[in-house]
Amino acid sequence: YPSGNLAIIVIREGNQLICIVQEDELRTAKIRALFQSDGRSTCYYPNGDEWINMTIQGGQYLGQAGNRVRRWMWPNLSPGPHVPLSPIFISLNRHVGVRILAQDKIFVSFLAMGRQAKFNMGTKVQVSTAGQLPPPARLAEDELLLLAFRVRILQLFDRMRGCLNFPSSEQWNKMQPPLYLITQAVKILELCMAADISDELRSSIRAIVNA
């Protein structure tokens, strides 16, 4: 961002690429969206509530009150009738926008100081011959909370180390968290989406890792 805060991160984990959009904030690295090359993606409102969620089967668009505004299926997954996608455009903030046109045309655009960068995070993912997704990992509520608090504690330790390394300046406050902490936060958010837990608990866990 023009402020110097990190806006977009693209990392490779095994055979998968992950694109993470962070909010333009000084003290925290709040995740506003994540896109994965396996077809799963999620965008969040500024308060951390889910905005758009996509899988290899389709997606849904949620209102700020949590109500489902729109739902669709990708057309290549079944020969029968399906709910088509009407193009979607949202602004995560004044610099980052997301345009969803098709499964292989999901664009993340960044505009600042008269210059633009655009990433196509869409992908063509086919279901297996059985037509089923592999079952996601399931964790109990207390396990998810423990993982979230573990990441939060590691974030605080990292901030303390920065304070000790730069005791006489505010430079430590501008440092981004280590990549492994960002990756762990993303994994916990993924597990929350797959777990059968309440929306209230899911929101609490997001608030913990994004604090």
Side-chain angles (χ1 to χ4, degrees):
Y1 291 106
S3 63
N5 297 324
L6 193 59
I8 297 175
I9 307 169
V10 179
I11 59 177
R12 178 180 294 276
E13 189 171 275
N15 295 324
Q16 184 175 187
L17 286 175
I18 302 175
C19 174
I20 304 167
V21 180
Q22 297 189 153
E23 187 54 274
D24 185 9
E25 294 181 346
L26 180 64
R27 293 178 177 273
T28 65
K30 183 181 295 182
I31 295 174
R32 291 300 312 278
L34 61 96
F35 304 87
Q36 302 179 112
S37 58
D38 65 359
R40 293 179 295 167
S41 302
T42 308
C43 300
Y44 301 98
Y45 284 104
N47 64 358
D49 289 344
E50 184 180 313
W51 195 345
I52 293 176
N53 178 258
M54 292 178 284
T55 68
I56 70 167
Q57 296 173 323
Q60 62 178 357
Y61 182 114
L62 301 176
Q64 288 186 297
N67 56 308
R68 188 164 65 191
V69 176
R70 196 182 306 178
R71 183 175 181 269
W72 68 91
M73 300 293 291
W74 303 122
N76 61 309
L77 296 180
S78 64
H82 63 275
V83 181
L85 166 69
S86 298
I88 293 174
F89 176 77
I90 63 172
S91 295
L92 297 178
N93 54 42
R94 61 182 296 188
H95 297 290
V96 184
V98 177
R99 188 181 297 272
I100 305 170
L101 304 178
Q103 187 182 27
D104 59 343
K105 295 179 181 178
I106 301 173
F107 299 99
V108 180
S109 59
F110 176 82
L111 178 64
M113 302 174 70
R115 304 185 68 178
Q116 183 178 34
K118 184 181 291 186
F119 307 87
N120 185 2
M121 298 307 301
T123 182
K124 279 289 187 183
V125 180
Q126 302 292 338
V127 293
S128 64
T129 55
Q132 298 293 328
L133 291 172
R138 302 286 180 178
L139 293 177
E141 294 183 358
D142 56 346
E143 292 176 305
L144 288 169
L145 279 171
L146 285 173
L147 287 173
F149 280 120
R150 177 182 179 275
V151 168
R152 180 59 184 149
I153 290 170
L154 290 174
Q155 291 172 342
L156 292 173
F157 276 133
D158 179 71
R159 189 170 297 178
M160 288 173 61
R161 281 194 296 269
C163 184
L164 291 173
N165 290 333
F166 302 96
S168 60
S169 73
E170 296 183 357
Q171 185 66 30
W172 66 271
N173 203 28
K174 300 179 181 180
M175 297 174 63
Q176 295 293 331
L179 190 57
Y180 79 93
L181 285 180
I182 296 174
T183 303
Q184 288 186 22
V186 169
K187 285 182 177 179
I188 292 172
L189 293 175
E190 292 174 6
L191 292 171
C192 282
M193 295 309 302
D196 184 17
I197 59 177
S198 66
D199 290 339
E200 182 179 0
L201 178 59
R202 191 175 287 115
S203 297
S204 296
I205 291 175
R206 279 200 300 266
I208 292 170
V209 300
N210 284 326

